[in-house]
Amino acid sequence: MPKIIFLKNPSPDVYSDKYAITAKSRYYDSCFLPILSHTFVDQPGLRTYLTDLAANADETPLDALIITSQRAVEAVASVLLELSVSTRSYIRSLPLYTVGPATAALVQSYGFSKIVGGAEAGNGRILASQIVGAKPRRCVFFTGETRRDIIPVTLRENGIECIERVVYNSKSIEGVEDQFMELMSDAKHVWWTVFFSPAGAESIARLIAKNTGATKVAAIGPTTEEFLLKYGITPNTVSRNPDPQSLLQGIDEVST
């Protein structure tokens, strides 16, 4: 059975992870190789910040929130239950922009009721264009310590105030290169390696570049494709949308 390495953390219950389920439904074996660990940043400060946003809603109204990663969703959601009912209701009722169906679904699961764009967006450039088209005046972007600037830069260039609030940081997991090579050495069939983000993926990209042909490569979207091309790796497929169905469809088209 062909095998797929997903370079990401699985869902909390790996057996319910949509990527693993979709891969199995298409007769692929799969495994997850996390390449980053994540830590929430200054949660007491975030609680105060969210409380102040609600308290000052009349004087300094906020038009939208922007949350583009699942880790940022989890960081914000982790403090919401510690806030007053009125503050929670205000934060959850704000118009919210996100990227991709998985993050949109997670946001909804935490009670955010007004997702106004981005569920179908494949990257930050597309999302930024959608936000500019909606013409908000003031947004808060909850993000990680390491991120691309395309969203805040694009908004500010178009006269939109974008306040960035870092809510988590990430660091590379040590020894991931050895784990990857061990997985590859055990392969009896053609392996696929799926890159979900440039973050933390440099060492794996270098290994693949040195071992051309050892694995087929899939990128979850154009940003990740650009990253791989810098290492001399042309992905065998680039997912049309950042979701399991599109990814596996692309893999199937190359594999058949």
Side-chain angles (χ1 to χ4, degrees):
M1 181 182 292
K3 303 179 189 299
I4 302 174
I5 302 173
F6 294 120
L7 298 178
K8 68 184 287 289
N9 293 288
S11 298
D13 177 5
V14 66
Y15 298 106
S16 67
D17 189 281
K18 292 182 179 179
Y19 284 93
I21 292 171
T22 304
K24 185 176 181 179
S25 73
R26 294 175 179 264
Y27 304 103
Y28 292 94
D29 192 8
S30 65
C31 66
F32 292 87
L33 180 60
I35 57 177
L36 290 173
S37 62
H38 307 280
T39 306
F40 296 156
V41 171
D42 187 18
Q43 289 190 290
L46 180 57
R47 285 193 289 271
T48 299
Y49 184 73
L50 294 174
T51 299
D52 289 345
L53 283 180
N56 298 318
D58 291 333
E59 293 181 11
T60 53
L62 192 62
D63 294 311
L65 303 178
I66 305 169
I67 310 180
T68 60
S69 72
Q70 296 186 40
R71 294 292 173 263
V73 175
E74 293 165 353
V76 173
S78 69
V79 305
L80 277 179
L81 290 179
E82 302 174 18
L83 305 180
S84 68
V85 173
S86 61
T87 297
R88 289 202 306 269
S89 297
Y90 171 74
I91 298 298
R92 286 171 171 165
S93 68
L94 286 167
L96 189 146
Y97 291 92
T98 188
V99 167
T103 306
L106 185 62
V107 166
Q108 288 178 316
S109 74
Y110 283 116
F112 289 85
S113 58
K114 192 181 289 186
I115 299 175
V116 292
E120 302 305 320
N123 56 58
R125 186 176 293 106
I126 295 173
L127 178 63
S129 177
Q130 291 182 0
I131 298 173
V132 168
K135 299 180 180 179
R137 293 164 297 177
R138 184 168 178 260
C139 303
V140 172
F141 181 19
F142 293 108
T143 185
E145 191 172 48
T146 303
R147 73 279 191 192
R148 301 186 74 194
D149 293 330
I150 185 67
I151 291 175
V153 168
T154 301
L155 299 191
R156 290 165 187 156
E157 286 177 347
N158 286 273
I160 299 169
E161 182 181 2
C162 181
I163 304 162
E164 294 178 81
R165 178 81 189 190
V166 173
V167 294
Y168 74 96
N169 59 33
S170 304
K171 66 177 182 178
S172 299
I173 295 175
E174 293 184 8
V176 71
E177 301 90 344
D178 293 337
Q179 295 178 55
F180 180 76
M181 293 307 294
E182 184 176 348
L183 287 170
M184 293 298 299
S185 67
D186 288 341
K188 296 180 180 179
H189 300 279
V190 174
W191 280 89
W192 276 88
T193 302
V194 180
F195 286 79
F196 288 85
S197 168
E202 295 86 355
S203 60
I204 302 298
R206 291 191 189 99
L207 283 174
I208 292 175
K210 291 179 181 178
N211 296 274
T212 305
T215 177
K216 287 186 172 68
V217 174
I220 198 63
T223 299
T224 304
E225 178 187 19
E226 291 175 10
F227 160 78
L228 291 169
L229 290 172
K230 291 178 181 178
Y231 285 87
I233 301 169
T234 301
N236 298 89
T237 184
V238 179
S239 186
R240 296 183 182 90
N241 296 296
D243 60 64
Q245 291 75 25
S246 298
L247 173 66
L248 268 297
Q249 182 179 348
I251 288 175
D252 274 346
E253 289 171 357
V254 173
S255 299
T256 53

